[in-house]
Amino acid sequence: MVPVSTRPRRRVGRLALTLVLTLPAWAGVAAAHSGGLGGATREPLAVPTWLFLFTGGGVVGVSFLLASFVTDRRLVDAVHDWGRPLPTPARALRAVARAVGVGVLAVVVAVGYLGPETGVRSLTVLVVWVAWWGGYVASTYLVGNTWPTLGPFRTLAERLPSLDRTYPDRLGAWPSVAGLLLLVWVEVMTPLADDPRLLATVLVAYTAVTLVGSAVVGADDWFEEVDPLARVFRFYSRLAPVGVVDGRLRLRLPGGALPDTVLDGRDDVAFVVTLLFVTTYDGFVATGPWASGVRAVEGVGVPPVGAYLGAYLGGAALFYLAYRAASRMGRRRAATYLSTDYLARRFAPALLPIAAGYHLAHNLGSVLVLAPTLAAVGAAPLSPPASPPQLAGLPSWVGGLELAAVLLGHLLAVWVAHATAYDLFPSRLQAVRSQYGVTAVMIGYTMLSLWIVAEPYVAPPFIAS
């Protein structure tokens, strides 16, 4: 008998799961998405959108069925436990890297205030959005996490005195969830990609908040629980082929550390789901259906900022509730004594390849198209070229790479969930059934991500630029 008090929550979770699975079912013709910084033209694919999306969702579903046939536990363990030791960098090299990180931050802020005011001709904008958020962030899940060494914020914080106040345990990592939501909200709703001075001001403000927070509770607690950027890189690094084990670098298969990862609580689960959501939202607001919808809502008297904020907070809640519903489904199908919370903490790391795949797809076009501009502007940051160089014909194949990144991320996520299930359950049938819920949300996330990537870029309406 299900307690009456839990029924409303379960109904909401089921509704959220249903919505995630059905949101992408749009009609039309697929066209590759631009990826950011104002967009770039893409050649439409002559494929009906419904066929394109259901094919992508079907690929994930079939991959789940194929993974289900891999029932040899020794083989599963051998795949995700494989590794080789690597030489550890010398202290001198780490010291140089820390100095470089602080120096880059100083140059980016200075050029933001002193350099040109045009977005893609500013070294500040190109370094932050192309080199750092597009390229460097990708390196943390494609190669390994160097942010603890290169990150200028922690380097500065560790050199300041601290009050060492006790960090409240009741807060957990929830401040980092709020911080991540706030950062992406500011990125979407303000012209950070077009206004170097505003971007430099945000960097100064972020540095100030980080230094004050670290001075109060200590650098370890701040960057472990509160700082959203440090946590983004730390979670992404669990996906990377190079990681740190017992203080030493180790080579492993991509995603090899994820099946053994157990998140600490609901706050960590919420952070992983939010990391997946915010990149999705960033792409969603640059689609035609969103532009039409927000104009229609504004036409009936709802302020545009209300539509953006409602979709933002509602979408984050929808993603989280859908994942919770999937965890409950997995527990019910597996008939296990393990709690829903525990299953949510164990399977949430399987969502990280999806977040990484979509991050790569969302930013790949900008990185490839604007990398030559970054090189040209970097040679003379205060007197950039009159117009950014163009790469003729590039968009024709970038779209294919974006779609491949989304699908590969989801396929890896299916394997991670499979390996996690076999690590959890003694029964093979339990292991397979426990994946039903998480596979369902993966298919929904896949179709939604592919739809966004396939939509042509449309400038978000009612946002200052």
Side-chain angles (χ1 to χ4, degrees):
M1 183 71 177
V2 178
V4 175
S5 61
T6 66
R7 286 176 178 170
R9 288 186 297 172
R10 292 192 176 187
R11 291 194 188 103
V12 172
R14 288 173 187 153
L15 177 60
L17 180 58
T18 302
L19 288 174
V20 166
L21 290 171
T22 57
L23 269 176
W26 302 86
V29 177
H33 177 56
S34 62
L37 285 182
T41 58
R42 292 289 189 269
E43 296 180 6
L45 304 173
V47 179
T49 300
W50 67 267
L51 177 61
F52 173 68
L53 298 182
F54 281 103
T55 299
V59 167
V60 176
V62 170
S63 66
F64 163 72
L65 295 176
L66 294 177
S68 299
F69 288 107
V70 183
T71 60
D72 188 331
R73 294 180 184 276
R74 289 176 297 179
L75 175 60
V76 174
D77 291 340
V79 169
H80 72 77
D81 286 343
W82 181 89
R84 293 289 186 272
L86 294 173
T88 302
R91 290 185 178 181
L93 181 59
R94 293 199 296 269
V96 171
R98 287 175 178 268
V100 168
V102 174
V104 169
L105 175 63
V107 170
V108 165
V109 170
V111 173
Y113 287 121
L114 303 176
E117 299 182 14
T118 305
V120 294
R121 297 176 187 173
S122 167
L123 182 69
T124 297
V125 170
L126 292 173
V127 166
V128 171
W129 296 120
V130 179
W132 181 71
W133 188 248
Y136 178 78
V137 173
S139 75
T140 63
Y141 52 75
L142 294 177
V143 182
N145 185 17
T146 58
W147 186 247
T149 300
L150 283 174
F153 307 111
R154 180 153 194 163
T155 299
L156 295 172
E158 288 179 343
R159 280 152 179 78
L160 296 177
S162 173
L163 299 176
D164 288 326
R165 297 288 177 84
T166 301
Y167 181 77
D169 290 337
R170 67 181 182 277
L171 294 180
W174 289 111
S176 68
V177 178
L180 182 60
L181 287 169
L182 178 60
L183 283 178
V184 177
W185 175 254
V186 171
E187 181 261 326
V188 171
M189 296 303 295
T190 64
L192 287 184
D194 299 309
D195 189 336
R197 286 164 175 73
L198 177 61
L199 180 55
T201 301
V202 170
L203 288 174
V204 171
Y206 191 91
T207 303
V209 170
T210 300
L211 296 183
V212 171
S214 299
V216 173
V217 301
D220 289 340
D221 284 338
W222 181 266
F223 289 98
E224 181 70 25
E225 302 290 352
V226 180
D227 185 69
L229 294 180
R231 289 177 60 80
V232 166
F233 293 135
R234 186 161 63 251
F235 277 115
Y236 271 154
S237 70
R238 303 293 293 176
L239 177 61
V242 176
V244 178
V245 180
D246 298 327
R248 297 187 62 85
L249 291 180
R250 186 171 179 82
L251 180 66
R252 62 201 179 200
L253 294 176
L258 293 176
D260 295 328
T261 300
V262 184
L263 302 185
D264 289 337
R266 291 190 180 186
D267 47 357
D268 280 347
V269 174
F271 189 87
V272 170
V273 176
T274 301
L275 178 59
L276 174 63
F277 166 73
V278 292
T279 309
T280 304
Y281 179 82
D282 193 16
F284 175 66
V285 297
T287 63
W290 169 256
S292 301
V294 74
R295 288 192 180 98
V297 170
E298 191 271 342
V300 297
V302 177
V305 68
Y308 278 92
L309 184 60
Y312 190 54
L313 299 179
L318 177 67
F319 267 52
Y320 180 74
L321 291 173
Y323 178 69
R324 292 286 301 181
S327 301
R328 285 194 294 271
M329 178 190 296
R331 182 176 188 269
R332 190 167 58 251
R333 296 297 183 185
T336 177
Y337 67 90
L338 297 174
S339 68
T340 297
D341 278 349
Y342 184 75
L343 292 182
R345 288 159 50 203
R346 284 304 305 266
F347 281 103
L351 301 179
L352 289 171
I354 301 176
Y358 186 62
H359 173 272
L360 186 61
H362 186 63
N363 294 281
L364 183 62
S366 296
V367 172
L368 293 178
V369 170
L370 294 175
T373 306
L374 175 60
V377 172
L382 298 181
S383 55
S387 60
Q390 300 294 323
L391 299 182
L394 184 61
S396 63
W397 54 270
V398 168
L401 293 179
E402 293 171 344
L403 300 177
V406 171
L407 284 177
L408 288 175
H410 284 77
L411 293 178
L412 180 56
V414 169
W415 171 257
V416 171
H418 182 73
T420 301
Y422 270 76
D423 186 55
L424 272 176
F425 297 103
S427 165
R428 293 175 179 176
L429 188 57
Q430 270 187 309
V432 172
R433 288 178 172 177
S434 70
Q435 300 172 62
Y436 289 170
V438 71
T439 301
V441 294
M442 284 179 181
I443 291 174
Y445 291 154
T446 299
M447 296 172 67
L448 181 59
S449 300
L450 288 175
W451 173 75
I452 292 173
V453 171
E455 280 291 300
Y457 176 87
V458 174
F462 306 111
I463 292 181
S465 60

